[in-house]
Amino acid sequence: MKRIFDIDPWLITTHELNSENKRLQESMTSLGNEYMGMRGMFEETYSGDTHQGIYIGGVWFPDKTRVGWWKNGYPEYFGKAINALNFVKADIYIDDQKIDLARNPFSDFELSLDMKTGVLNRTFTVFGVQVKITRLVSAAMKELMVSHYEFMSLDGVAHRVRFDATIDADVTNEDANYDEQFWQVLAAGHEQQTAFMATQTMPNPFKVPQFTVVARQSFQGGTQQAAHETEKAVTDTFNIEVPAKGQASFEKRVIVTTSRDYDDLTATIAASQHLTETIQSTTYQELYQAHQDEWAQRWAKADIQIVGDDAAQQGIRFNLFQLFSTYYGNDPRLNIGPKGFTGEKYGGATYWDTEAFAIPVYLGVADPAVTRALLQYRFNQLEGAFHNAKMQGLKGALYPMVTFDGIESHNEWEITFEEIHRNATIAYGIYNYTNITGDHSWFNGYGAQVFYNIARFWADRVHYVTRRDCYMIHGVTGPNEYENNVNNNFYTNWMAKWVLGYAVSHYDEIDKAQQAVLNIESKELAHWQDIVDKMYLPEADIDLHGKKTHIFVQHDTFLDKDLTPIADMPQTIRPINQHWSWDRILRSPYIKQSDTLHAMFYFPDAFTTEEKQQNFDFYEPLTVHESSLSPSVHSVLAADLQMADKAVEMYERAARLDLDNYNNDTADGLHITSMTGSWLAIVQGFAGMRVRENKLYLKPFLPEKWQQYSFRLVFRGRVLEVTVNQKETTVALISGKNLTINLLGADVFLTSK
Amino acid sequence: MKRIFDIDPWLITTHELNSENKRLQESMTSLGNEYMGMRGMFEETYSGDTHQGIYIGGVWFPDKTRVGWWKNGYPEYFGKAINALNFVKADIYIDDQKIDLARNPFSDFELSLDMKTGVLNRTFTVFGVQVKITRLVSAAMKELMVSHYEFMSLDGVAHRVRFDATIDADVTNEDANYDEQFWQVLAAGHEQQTAFMATQTMPNPFKVPQFTVVARQSFQGGTQQAAHETEKAVTDTFNIEVPAKGQASFEKRVIVTTSRDYDDLTATIAASQHLTETIQSTTYQELYQAHQDEWAQRWAKADIQIVGDDAAQQGIRFNLFQLFSTYYGNDPRLNIGPKGFTGEKYGGATYWDTEAFAIPVYLGVADPAVTRALLQYRFNQLEGAFHNAKMQGLKGALYPMVTFDGIESHNEWEITFEEIHRNATIAYGIYNYTNITGDHSWFNGYGAQVFYNIARFWADRVHYVTRRDCYMIHGVTGPNEYENNVNNNFYTNWMAKWVLGYAVSHYDEIDKAQQAVLNIESKELAHWQDIVDKMYLPEADIDLHGKKTHIFVQHDTFLDKDLTPIADMPQTIRPINQHWSWDRILRSPYIKQSDTLHAMFYFPDAFTTEEKQQNFDFYEPLTVHESSLSPSVHSVLAADLQMADKAVEMYERAARLDLDNYNNDTADGLHITSMTGSWLAIVQGFAGMRVRENKLYLKPFLPEKWQQYSFRLVFRGRVLEVTVNQKETTVALISGKNLTINLLGADVFLTSK
């Protein structure tokens, strides 16, 4: 592990520019505001290796898929997050010498992401001039991006800066099949001292809407020299005089509007003009302040403070910063993309990660309305889920593995068709919301349509095995994607059983109107109960290090594998997904992310401590955590089992997964949905937060090397503050009505100060 | 089933032109000469649905693959058989009216493939003129294709025919991802009353050679009016005067040369000119006669005659005709593509089909040199096989699922990485050659490198399971591609064990020089023997229709499936690959082609009759035969088990698979490698042909509805003729030394007449 940024509680800073780490650096210095975002690539020309990536929420392209197309039921397209037009771009010349840090000698380089204020600062000295650039993607005005420049002469003479500011539509995706472009230019030009470009996604045969995006640049400072347009770009050229002493400022502002918010091209262009005008007389300082105020409010609600471990402190803040940059609940049409605005790998906007990992966090740090928006998103896509189930010849609703609009848009059969455990997690998300908030109205109302149609899917997906008088589920991929097409994956079977059982036992509670729409006969409910009663769950007695151990078996033939623990294998094979061919990974015992243990993470009270311990002891040594979603689950479970060292080890991995590039893939972008993991590890893990029968339970411990940690928690209209240090654990009721909670096994009555 | 061609012993004839069946018709009327071939599309314009396909042996393109590209070890490209330039094309006008049978009223349509002479005849009357077209792809001169036209006035008045003969490079593949073209034009023009076009495959980044193809057209008859070129086509325009009484002939000849035979573009163009000149004064009748003589010689050696069942007779001849059109052993660089020259589905030129299904036929109908050429092809690709094994991190040689040059060029992980049983069949092909011909020299020489490196692969691919003290093979796809990534597929395990056992027991026989190259230590051989001794083979006692039955189990969890026989399912789900989603197929018990039974097909003497019967009774009712390779295997096994009706039913399906479009996919092209199946069913099945310890065994029966069948058989320098009718079975020694064979259980000494 080589850290490329310094340890600091609030900053992500480096003084090195290393071409080998450039993409990694870009990923880690991404900015976003839920509406749009971008990687931390340079504004000016950089001729070395770089991944220029700018993305806009909810804007995507359905790319043809032709591998496996002959398999019946195959998705027609692969939904891609697409690299939008590049509106950050500039060519900067100092005394006619073009800045290109890949070629020019430079000094005093500093790149620093300030998480407190949400800006990216960069400084360097080149050709005798110190250049300071501050970039912000406004948290206060979603359409606004600003790059602010300061030029200062360091060699005692005056300099002339030429600044060619560009909006460039000549952009491709890293993952394009044939370097083809997904955008066409609709209009471009100069209007009232601004330049704009309007692009539209290419036509597609799949009835997916074509998105129009307009970017308009305006400027503060300098003297305009020229303006020109090419087929794919608009450019404004400015001169900026840098005095021999003192400095010169310059500012490029960009307003981005899209057809998601406006009816047609004309309206989208007009809106960009209008919004540009509204901030024409606003100073940079005012724009900056408004942006920073928003971030201050977010941190006031959500900050976790760790005393005694700056690396851990930096990790959790980085994660919350990037999570909030991706999603903050303002647009109910959006969800939480796995790479956010930091890269285009994976495609798609919505994964089961949202319900599995993000909802528990938003339930703890935000108003329940944010979570309801995420649940409602699924309700709104119910038609798509019916369609997906039908494509597999099954009843009910199957939520997609990957989607933008509810229709499955992933194209690997072992995932698309088989990683169906996701469908149980959608139901779990509803349960989790209901259990934590105590608000049953969503489940009983909208939620029933989602939940019971998911139950219908499971009831149709199992098959009855006469010779063994039980129900089985064949042909699935569990959360451990390092095994495909297995039979009786414990986790999938257990979750299917849970969904059906919960559905049967809560049927009488749901609204009559919802029951009428669902039209479930009592015969159907009885059949569901029969499945619950006779669901096959693989388990076995094994010998583990000479000790008889009873485990739930990952799937039917898992125990026939060569079960050498990963610790006994050479380090050179890690990560195995970069060293082993796919078939070798599949037949190995190495687990990408928690699978059997995942059920225990979701339902810690449904298993005895002994069960949890025996399964943890068996599976954890086989787990390679090559999914970013894995370490946090293990941290929470280890904490539950009072394995403090393991819990902390796993926390550190979760918290600094991207900062320390654990899986050697952060250059492609950050693991946004995993960013939730460090919060889960601290709150559900170290602090032992649970909600049982409407009561909040906390059972905190303090990691040995920490002096103190504290966090705030939203719970049923209250805000609590939990502080844990070597002396004591205190829980303060910051706002809301008095409340009884269970702290370290004893009921405690909390009153407001 | 709707037959679109009439039943006839030697002809494939229809009088209907139905736009719905056009592609099917084109597939069935394909012509080829091993060097090149084409679908039976019309020469002249046809504006209805059609698949214009012309292919040249050994000419291919490595197309990028991007789905699954992140899986380590994934092939870089998908090898595609590519549609070459269209040199058959012509626009024909009668009195300035363009012929287009999709639009014009016409009468007296006849389309007829004459299998005896190897030509495609077509007749129709349009605009008062009867047009007769005969096409041949010369079996006597590999580079030559001729379309011969006769025009006759039927309305008593003279007509003028305008004939625009074109070579067209504006061609795409049906399976192109983005309708992209695989060809670029290098040169084109008119030289000495001929027109030519030279095309080259597009550049590729994979170091696969770019192929150059030159087509040159010349003419007999008519009066040339014009010659012109566009960017992608050359055209010659002729006038042909059709008298009021009598007829006018016209002929387009095409010579095709390629960079496979000539050093550079200049040489390839010059060769096409030279070859065109050599036949300039040869008459059509002479070209036709030379072609037909070749076909007569082939039929004299290989024809099977069936008396009393014209449908069966037509089926076997159609199969042999199309098989010989695809491969006749003249070019050792070629193999037997699964669609031959009749379509582009599947890609690739070489599958395990060659060793499994084609070699046994060529061993029976041709000189052993033809089979040796096929074996040598594998030896020549040993480096590729080492590469393929290495890509999976394994020792030894892994022959590819699909290839043109030895490197795996298929891109579905469950096949590429897991359908490794193919590697055992390569070894079986060598064994089969050795066993049938009695020639051990190839095995002991070249063959040892292939065989023992395959054995090395298997020894590295198994894993030892401590708790059960056995070796297992996890993560494979058996011949039944309707299950993927299964564990302990009986067939795969059995074959791996056989390869290792054969390798150990024959090691002392192979040439010392080969042993030195192989460098196998005695420890390695001992380890192979240990694997042979402890290979896990799944078997079970089950209850089948109330009877206790012992079976070999397809794979570990097969018996947990819902085992409803396919006969109990509605007919509307067939073929299941066109009605069920992939996951549903995978978890169903329905078998695409023989899998467990396949071992019994390869090694009928290695299993008892009881074993064969019990397994056949269990698996056959679950088999949907949606692979064209399945029915013949079942026919041979059923014959072995004296289940004559089942053997005949399966024969009929094998023999007329394409003619009757059993699997509803013949429109994409013919199933060339399955064409061998009807020969296998008759010779190995009905006639019970086996070779045991250097002796030929025959045990014929006569299908009830046949009066007689007879076939010739090449065996160890002899040609035998076997005739089976209701009275008797006779075996005549047509040529070669006296021989003792075993006929119906008794040794018979054969002498030449």
Side-chain angles (χ1 to χ4, degrees), chain A residues 452 456 459 500 503-505 507-508 515 518-531:
Chain A
Y452 285 83
R456 263 188 177 134
L500 290 166
V504 171
S505 60
Y507 185 69
D508 291 340
Q515 288 187 355
L518 286 167
N519 193 24
I520 298 172
E521 291 176 37
S522 59
K523 204 174 64 180
E524 194 173 353
L525 284 177
H527 177 58
W528 295 4
Q529 186 60 50
D530 191 51
I531 297 169

Side-chain angles (χ1 to χ4, degrees), chain A residues 10 139 184 468 606 679:
Chain A
W10 277 114
Q184 54 193 338
R468 301 179 67 170
W679 188 94

Side-chain angles (χ1 to χ4, degrees), chain A residues 185-459:
Chain A
V185 174
L186 287 189
H190 289 79
E191 284 178 352
Q192 305 174 41
Q193 292 164 329
T194 66
F196 79 98
M197 172 155 273
T199 55
Q200 186 179 39
T201 49
M202 292 289 183
N204 69 78
F206 309 114
K207 297 180 188 161
V208 170
Q210 287 175 267
F211 297 97
T212 301
V213 172
V214 177
R216 181 181 298 269
Q217 58 185 6
S218 61
F219 307 91
Q220 303 280 324
T223 315
Q224 184 144 14
Q225 300 293 308
H228 72 280
E229 293 159 32
T230 62
E231 204 183 322
K232 294 243 171 188
V234 289
T235 301
D236 290 302
T237 300
F238 284 80
N239 269 355
I240 302 146
E241 300 297 339
V242 183
K245 291 188 177 178
Q247 59 187 46
S249 300
F250 184 72
E251 203 182 325
K252 168 171 169 172
R253 298 176 178 181
V254 180
I255 291 290
V256 179
T257 53
T258 82
S259 59
R260 294 180 65 252
D261 292 326
Y262 299 97
D263 281 344
D264 56 23
L265 176 65
T266 310
T268 312
I269 293 175
S272 76
Q273 177 67 23
H274 170 72
L275 290 167
T276 301
E277 284 164 11
T278 62
I279 53 166
Q280 206 162 9
S281 53
T282 311
T283 65
Y284 171 68
Q285 196 52 43
E286 289 165 341
L287 294 176
Y288 172 76
Q289 196 60 48
H291 168 70
Q292 177 182 285
D293 287 350
E294 281 297 319
W295 274 104
Q297 284 179 39
R298 294 175 183 184
W299 287 119
K301 278 183 230 157
D303 191 29
I304 292 187
Q305 294 177 341
I306 298 171
V307 181
D309 187 342
D310 282 352
Q313 174 69 77
Q314 185 182 39
I316 183 83
R317 286 207 175 114
F318 182 69
N319 291 342
L320 291 173
F321 177 79
Q322 292 292 353
L323 184 67
F324 295 162
S325 295
T326 305
Y327 188 81
Y328 207 68
N330 289 311
D331 185 340
R333 298 168 299 175
L334 297 179
N335 209 291
I336 309 164
K339 292 251 161 255
F341 303 113
T342 73
E344 59 228 30
K345 200 177 163 185
Y346 299 139
T350 313
Y351 285 62
W352 66 288
D353 307 23
T354 295
E355 278 77 5
F357 300 98
I359 280 184
V361 177
Y362 285 107
L363 282 172
V365 299
D367 191 272
V370 175
T371 301
R372 268 204 311 280
L374 289 168
L375 299 181
Q376 196 71 31
Y377 177 94
R378 296 294 192 178
F379 175 83
N380 294 341
Q381 295 189 350
L382 190 55
E383 283 305 318
F386 288 143
H387 167 88
N388 299 331
K390 203 172 166 189
M391 289 292 279
Q392 292 186 234
L394 293 167
K395 293 176 189 155
L398 172 60
Y399 279 88
M401 193 64 203
V402 180
T403 195
F404 287 93
D405 61 359
I407 306 286
E408 179 62 66
S409 72
H410 188 77
N411 61 357
E412 289 170 286
W413 66 263
E414 67 276 16
I415 292 177
T416 306
F417 289 153
E418 299 212 336
E419 205 175 328
I420 52 174
H421 69 81
R422 62 185 183 255
N423 216 27
T425 282
I426 309 306
Y428 172 75
I430 298 171
Y431 156 81
N432 216 0
Y433 170 84
T434 310
N435 183 50
I436 290 179
T437 65
D439 168 21
H440 290 250
S441 67
W442 203 84
F443 172 80
N444 294 343
Y446 291 116
Q449 298 303 323
V450 175
F451 205 107
Y452 285 83
N453 280 303
I454 287 173
R456 263 188 177 134
F457 168 86
W458 286 115

